[in-house]
Amino acid sequence: MVGCATLGGVSAWVLRLPSAVFGWIEAVLVVVIGRDADRPRTGIAAGLLLAFSPFDVQYGQEARSYTLVAALILVALWGLAGLARQATACTPLQGGRGAWLAYGSFTLAALCVLNVAVPWLVASNVAAAMIVWRAQARRVFLRRWAVTQAAILALWLPALAAVAYFSNGAALEGPGWALSEKWSALWAIIGPVYLDRISAFITFDMLPASVP
């Protein structure tokens, strides 16, 4: 029934397809990151956890940009993991431009798609502080990191300001869709993300399930 529905001549199936594709890409990226960080079976296990996560599967069926921004962040995470391996190696690796490009460009892309990527920007800077603590060439890493962060902010903040200006502030105000600040709202977030529960998008109530 849903697949037969159309909007302006475009089927709902086509509108939802990109989310499903990016959801698949997410799982592949998690496999790669887990493999590089530990071993192949670690990557496969992590990829399967994501692939069967009700939360991610749910967003993979919606005509929204959440799986896209998640995929972009995962590429940036892959780049950051590469930077960590390079910076903390006993014999510092030469080059590493691909890792820097992956982190910087895909972090910028994620921020431009959705502002929910801001926590990733903060988390990556916290991770960078830990990398510096164990880095072999701290000054080099810090200098490159500062340049990368400056480039990200220089390109993202003007775009954010333009969106706020042309929307008359509507992009930054009117959070009527946001959850109320209650313990039940916290459960509506924790349940789907960490406990394999499925929530309704509109009401954020947990859907009945005997087994998570």
Side-chain angles (χ1 to χ4, degrees), residues 42-108:
T42 301
I44 293 174
L48 288 173
L49 285 173
L50 180 65
F52 289 101
S53 166
F55 188 76
D56 202 63
V57 171
Q58 193 171 0
Y59 275 120
Q61 300 178 59
E62 293 290 319
R64 300 183 180 189
S65 55
Y66 293 115
T67 56
L68 167 59
V69 75
L72 294 173
I73 290 174
L74 282 170
V75 176
L77 175 59
W78 174 80
L80 181 62
L83 295 176
R85 288 193 298 273
Q86 177 190 7
T88 58
C90 294
T91 303
L93 303 177
Q94 299 298 322
R97 293 181 179 179
W100 283 105
L101 184 62
Y103 168 76
S105 60
F106 281 86
T107 294
L108 174 62

Side-chain angles (χ1 to χ4, degrees), residues 107-133:
T107 294
L108 174 62
L111 288 167
C112 290
V113 171
L114 277 178
N115 288 333
V116 296
V118 171
W120 157 248
L121 182 65
V122 175
S124 65
N125 276 274
V126 173
M130 302 303 296
I131 294 172
V132 169
W133 182 52

